[in-house]
Amino acid sequence: MFRTALRNVLAHKGRLLMTMLAVMLGTAFVAGTLVFTDTMGQALRTQNSKSYADIAVTVSDSEAVGRGYDHGGRAAAGPTLTEDTRRRLVALPGAADVRGVVSGFAGIADHKGALIGNGFSTTGTNYVPGADGTDPRYPLVAGRGPKDAGEIALDTRTAEKGGFKVGDTVRVAVNGPVMQLKLTGTLHTNDPRVTAGGSLAAFDTATAQQLYLSPGRFAELDVRAAPGTGDTALLAAVRQALPQGDNLEAKTGRELADEQDRMIAQGTRILSTFLMGFAAIALFVGVFIIANTFSMLVAQRTRELALLRAVGATRRQITRSVKVEAALVGLTASVAGLLAGIGIALGLKALLNGPMDANLPDGPLVIAPTTVLAAIAVGVLVTLVAAWLPARRASRIAPVAAMSSSEQPATQKSLRLRNTVGLLFSLAGAAALAAGASGKEVKLVGLGAGALLIGVFVLTPLLSRPLIALFAPLLRAVYGTPGKLARENAVRNPRRTAATASALTIGVTLITSLTVVGASVNKAVDDSTSSDLKADYTVAMQNFSDLSPEVAAQIAKAPGVSAMSTERSVPVTIDRGQDRGRGAGDGENEFLTAVDAATIDQLATVRIREGSADALEQGKLLVSSGRSEQARYKVGDVLAVTYPDGSKGSLTVGGVLEANTALAPVLAPEAVVGPHAQPGSGLEKVLVKGTNGATEQLKQALRDATGGNPLIAVKGEKDIKAESRQAVTDILNMMYGLLGMSVVIAVLGVVNTMAMSVFERRREIGMLRAIGLDRLGIRRMVRLESLLIALFGGLVGVCLGILVAWAGVRTLADDLKGITTVVPPLQIVCFLLAAAVIGLLAALWPAHRAAKLDILDAIRSE
């Protein structure tokens, strides 16, 4: 029986080709994902270990780390890392050197004033020259390091992007006006923030401290050990030498490297899981093709299998024979998929380092044994699972009955059972979908969508006849006999039609649901931006750090500004110890957003649900309805607060606001809470109203007022909408690309089904030719049949996608005010047209083969 299985695979290798391709593509996706993430993770870990190679101990100031991302000059609550601290550590036995580190954001503008790199990874740091005038952490490529406040050095990639050469003037900004600095040199760095698309600006230490912290203060001290000194012993000595304070923390370089390694592993694991989800979709689509192929092969070999039964083969041997065939197909395709996956990983790395300019670190390709085993195991297992039902069906062929029939029809009992199971799954899925949408439970919506998909797939044979019949009048009217034959052929074997169409349905369902959700989010953002925001422009940092407080005064002087309000976040602690009856406890943290009480209603739509519209001008708080319900704030509540400067006071809730995306959850008057903000704290954003509305003149005036800072974004209503739409479009395009593999596999399924269908209907096609149907009619019949199957799959997918998207949109109601389900008609029509094109293209080769059949040979065929 093994030799028989091997002979059958070799005899039908042409008909199994598309199945092998489907398995190969699915396993290639799996293997490519594993190889790529393993390679990237290993390269990042190697780069990370190099970053900490010369660091024995690191001391960090938790109050200073990241503070450079806001505005410098803040007072510290605990002990700080100063030059005196650095000298004490240098004097420790076993300490060879101690490097003081200061870092923060630094935006570099190109010659047109645009920001180089992404806003989140625009890094600024201090250059620490040694005795030879160079900094070993940042090797010089050209020129020298910066020495005073008027100089700067850049990493080589940023200099190349901006077209800068040593001696040029570079426009640099932190969170205030742009500085004009002289470029003294270019550096090499392996900082992951820079290699991920950011930029590095190096200042002299005094300048960096002035920009990010305060004179003489460091965010971090890196201790290098003398030869023969262990990291653990040096760590103990460092801890004893440090001033006592909860904000100072000392760790070994190895500990920090291990922490970074864990973060890298977590990141690559998340990426791998994300990509594996799409690989699973591709393999799931392949299951339909594999099952369909083996079902057709079993049907075509009915007499052969019956003869084996007649000469003594048992049902178990027949089942095992088909499974062996499936295993051989899966093994061959999986090996090919593994090789293709390695190629995909190499292609991804080249793409990211080339056109996408991700600049991933170099490293050897990592092909782990687990990757090889996983790829082969997945391919073989998927093929075996898909071939299980055809194998069982083959074993049930009765020797005598099969001798006189080419294919065993499905029994009424099996069809009733199938339809009952499908109906139960569909009802359960629809109920879960409705419950999840009503309760805004994403997991329940996901479970409901999965159950509904399974139910519809099981019911697809039942649905195929009435849905395909919808096209019958049009086909007869336009194409005559070929159209009528195509319709009859499409519904002749509902199970086969269902399996072929279902592969396409999966991709269309997912693409449609993503598109509808994207259109709904875009509409909600557009509507809320138009209705909630009255300001003509918002001014804020691109990296969401704080604006310099001086920016507000500069904007107020800009020509054409009629009203403005700053937004400043002031963290407070609320003592509600005497109000436990409402579920609150002592020491609750709350963020108050300080705004200009006199002008905020001119810049945002303030709708009062309860309380006074003049609450802010009366020195009281305005709380959003969502925050009011969450924290149980009521109008008239008096809150005892402790401000960031340590002072205490009380604030009264003066009103509850309707939901508004342009306003923070808790608003407070700037005049009341602003003086108690942390010294030197920055602004989240500035809202601006123009005398003549939103004009290019006002926009340019605001840019000029902020010194042309490339990190500061001036956005109007159109900009906000366009930015949101672009973000949604980017996500959708990425999803479409990842789902493309499943669509390709579905196309292979249609090709395979039509090709095998032509083969098993050779005699029928010969008879049609003999009674007068010409080659063009044969080609048209096959093409129309493929078109009907593809349209059927596309139509079911579109309907399911819209239903799933509706439930998904309902779960977003709490996050996006006023969101409703938006079905873009043009894109839905395009999806159906794409399904039709797929059907026509998939039928080109089978239709050509059918038309070329010799009439007499076809009639004589068995």
Side-chain angles (χ1 to χ4, degrees):
M1 294 304 293
F2 177 79
R3 288 196 298 270
T4 300
L6 181 60
R7 178 187 63 79
N8 284 330
V9 171
L10 296 175
H12 302 115
K13 55 182 177 293
R15 278 175 270 176
L16 289 169
L17 177 62
M18 297 300 174
T19 298
M20 290 183 177
L21 283 174
V23 178
M24 185 198 77
L25 290 174
T27 52
F29 207 147
V30 172
T33 295
L34 293 174
V35 172
F36 175 70
T37 52
D38 287 347
T39 300
M40 185 175 66
Q42 182 61 45
L44 290 173
R45 286 191 293 273
T46 301
Q47 182 188 68
N48 179 55
S49 64
K50 291 179 181 178
S51 300
Y52 291 96
D54 62 341
I55 299 176
V57 176
T58 291
V59 183
S60 59
D61 180 351
S62 60
E63 293 185 354
V65 173
R67 180 158 296 164
Y69 300 85
D70 301 324
H71 185 258
R74 297 182 182 178
T80 61
L81 300 177
T82 62
E83 180 62 26
D84 181 60
T85 312
R86 193 189 73 82
R87 292 195 189 98
R88 286 207 307 272
L89 297 185
V90 170
L92 290 174
D97 187 29
V98 179
R99 176 193 178 94
V101 178
V102 185
S103 63
F105 284 118
I108 312 298
D110 61 18
H111 292 295
K112 296 181 179 179
L115 180 68
I116 299 177
N118 59 66
F120 297 97
S121 301
T122 50
T123 308
T125 190
N126 59 319
Y127 187 82
V128 186
D132 60 354
T134 64
D135 187 341
R137 180 168 294 186
Y138 302 111
L140 284 168
V141 177
R144 62 172 177 80
K147 294 182 178 179
D148 56 46
E151 297 179 343
I152 193 175
L154 298 177
D155 69 281
T156 53
R157 294 180 71 242
T158 300
E160 289 173 3
K161 288 180 181 179
F164 298 121
K165 296 179 181 179
V166 174
D168 288 350
T169 298
V170 180
R171 301 175 70 241
V172 187
V174 179
N175 62 350
V178 169
M179 300 175 287
Q180 306 281 345
L181 305 179
K182 180 181 178 181
L183 181 63
T184 63
T186 56
L187 315 166
H188 173 73
T189 179
N190 57 7
D191 189 323
R193 292 173 295 182
V194 180
T195 57
S199 62
L200 177 70
F203 306 92
D204 68 285
T205 298
T207 301
Q209 290 173 331
Q210 183 66 39
L211 289 172
Y212 298 124
L213 292 171
S214 57
R217 187 178 178 189
F218 298 104
E220 183 180 296
L221 294 177
D222 295 337
V223 185
R224 186 163 57 88
T229 303
D231 292 355
T232 305
L234 185 57
L235 175 64
V238 166
R239 284 176 172 168
Q240 288 183 352
L242 289 175
Q244 296 300 311
D246 293 337
N247 59 305
L248 300 184
E249 184 179 23
K251 291 183 178 181
T252 65
R254 183 66 265 165
E255 287 177 322
L256 293 174
D258 290 342
E259 288 179 4
Q260 291 294 319
D261 283 349
R262 285 193 290 271
M263 292 175 63
I264 291 170
Q266 182 181 11
T268 54
R269 189 161 52 247
I270 291 172
L271 175 62
S272 178
T273 302
F274 176 73
L275 293 177
M276 280 297 184
F278 291 92
I281 293 171
L283 288 168
F284 185 57
V285 171
V287 166
F288 290 91
I289 298 172
I290 299 165
N292 214 19
T293 300
F294 277 94
S295 294
M296 296 177 75
L297 284 175
V298 167
Q300 292 170 14
R301 289 162 45 201
T302 301
R303 292 189 178 185
E304 175 191 333
L305 294 172
L307 181 60
L308 288 173
R309 290 292 311 281
V311 298
T314 65
R315 292 179 60 177
R316 179 175 295 179
Q317 286 178 311
I318 296 294
T319 302
R320 190 179 302 157
S321 174
V322 177
K323 287 182 179 179
V324 169
E325 291 179 45
L328 292 173
V329 169
L331 180 62
T332 305
S334 298
V335 172
L338 175 63
L339 298 176
I342 295 172
I344 289 174
L346 289 171
L348 277 174
K349 188 175 180 182
L351 176 67
L352 291 172
N353 282 335
M356 298 185 69
D357 197 28
N359 198 32
L360 293 177
D362 293 327
L365 201 66
V366 178
I367 307 173
T370 53
T371 298
V372 176
L373 293 175
I376 294 177
V378 165
V380 173
L381 184 62
V382 166
T383 311
L384 285 172
V385 169
W388 179 68
L389 281 177
R392 288 193 62 198
R393 198 173 297 129
S395 70
R396 292 177 179 176
I397 296 175
V400 176
M403 292 289 187
S404 59
S405 175
S406 62
E407 185 173 355
Q408 295 283 68
T411 64
Q412 290 298 317
K413 179 180 178 181
S414 66
L415 290 176
R416 282 197 300 270
L417 179 61
R418 177 178 183 138
N419 293 338
T420 301
V421 171
L423 183 62
L424 290 175
F425 265 97
S426 299
L427 292 175
L433 209 62
S438 176
K440 300 179 179 61
E441 293 287 341
V442 177
K443 291 183 179 179
L444 192 56
V445 167
L447 290 173
L452 182 60
L453 282 173
I454 293 173
V456 171
F457 290 156
V458 176
L459 286 175
T460 304
L462 181 66
L463 299 173
S464 62
R465 287 183 179 275
L467 289 179
I468 290 178
L470 295 174
F471 300 98
L474 179 62
L475 293 176
R476 283 197 298 268
V478 178
Y479 298 105
T481 300
K484 180 181 179 181
L485 291 172
R487 184 261 176 190
E488 292 177 353
N489 288 333
V491 297
R492 176 187 298 183
N493 192 324
R495 285 186 173 182
R496 182 183 304 171
T497 298
T500 307
S502 295
L504 186 60
T505 296
I506 296 170
V508 175
T509 298
L510 294 173
I511 289 173
T512 300
S513 60
L514 288 172
T515 303
V516 173
V517 170
S520 303
V521 169
N522 281 334
K523 180 67 164 51
V525 172
D526 287 353
D527 291 346
S528 61
T529 301
S530 299
S531 63
D532 294 346
L533 186 66
K534 291 182 180 180
D536 294 317
Y537 292 102
T538 63
V539 181
M541 297 287 285
Q542 292 193 50
N543 50 31
F544 298 104
S545 61
D546 285 352
L547 286 164
S548 170
E550 292 80 12
V551 170
Q554 295 162 353
I555 289 176
K557 297 176 183 178
V561 174
S562 63
M564 61 165 283
S565 174
T566 60
E567 288 193 9
R568 183 207 307 263
S569 181
V570 180
V572 298
T573 302
I574 298 176
D575 183 1
R576 298 174 70 176
Q578 296 179 352
D579 199 17
R580 295 179 182 271
R582 299 215 324 258
D586 297 334
E588 296 178 30
N589 295 322
E590 183 65 87
F591 285 90
L592 309 181
T593 299
V595 297
D596 189 329
T599 60
I600 190 63
D601 60 337
Q602 301 176 48
L603 302 163
T605 302
V606 180
R607 303 184 190 91
I608 299 296
R609 173 182 290 186
E610 184 182 354
S612 172
D614 300 324
L616 289 175
E617 294 188 71
Q618 296 168 4
K620 299 179 180 179
L621 302 179
L622 283 179
V623 183
S624 70
S625 56
R627 184 60 184 149
S628 173
E629 294 173 4
Q630 182 183 23
R632 299 189 180 183
Y633 293 140
K634 293 182 179 179
V635 174
D637 282 356
V638 178
L639 309 177
V641 300
T642 303
Y643 292 107
D645 62 358
S647 62
K648 297 182 181 294
S650 62
L651 292 171
T652 302
V653 177
V656 176
L657 293 170
E658 295 284 354
N660 187 309
T661 57
L663 296 175
V666 184
L667 300 180
E670 168 70 26
V672 174
V673 302
H676 301 291
Q678 197 169 20
S681 63
L683 309 173
E684 288 187 6
K685 60 183 173 182
V686 180
L687 302 178
V688 180
K689 187 80 172 174
T691 305
N692 300 315
T695 63
E696 283 300 318
Q697 291 80 4
L698 176 59
K699 191 172 187 179
Q700 187 59 48
L702 295 175
R703 287 173 177 160
D704 294 340
T706 56
N709 189 331
L711 276 174
I712 296 179
V714 180
K715 299 177 185 177
E717 181 180 321
K718 291 182 179 179
D719 300 317
I720 295 172
K721 291 179 179 179
E723 189 176 75
S724 172
R725 286 184 173 276
Q726 187 59 51
V728 172
T729 299
D730 290 344
I731 293 173
L732 289 179
N733 288 339
M734 180 182 65
M735 295 293 188
Y736 291 158
L738 293 172
L739 289 172
M741 186 72 77
S742 63
V743 175
V744 170
I745 294 175
V747 172
L748 294 178
V750 179
V751 174
N752 201 32
T753 298
M754 297 309 302
M756 295 183 71
S757 179
V758 167
F759 179 84
E760 72 178 15
R761 299 203 314 251
R762 292 179 67 198
R763 176 180 290 184
E764 176 186 320
I765 293 172
M767 292 296 296
L768 289 172
R769 289 291 314 283
I771 62 176
L773 191 62
D774 59 11
R775 293 179 185 272
L776 178 61
I778 294 294
R779 280 197 296 268
R780 184 169 291 167
M781 177 187 71
V782 175
R783 289 172 185 167
L784 290 174
E785 180 183 350
S786 177
L787 173 65
L788 285 172
I789 293 174
L791 278 176
F792 169 58
L795 185 61
V796 174
V798 164
C799 294
L800 283 174
I802 293 174
L803 182 59
V804 171
W806 166 81
V809 166
R810 291 291 299 274
T811 65
L812 299 175
D814 289 339
D815 300 313
L816 285 173
K817 188 190 72 170
I819 188 170
T820 56
T821 304
V822 177
V823 181
L826 181 59
Q827 288 170 283
I828 297 301
V829 170
C830 286
F831 294 155
L832 291 175
L833 289 176
V837 171
I838 286 172
L840 291 174
L841 293 177
L844 288 178
W845 177 57
H848 178 71
R849 284 190 61 193
K852 286 185 64 177
L853 288 176
D854 182 86
I855 297 176
L856 294 179
D857 288 343
I859 293 175
R860 287 198 303 267
S861 66
E862 291 292 333

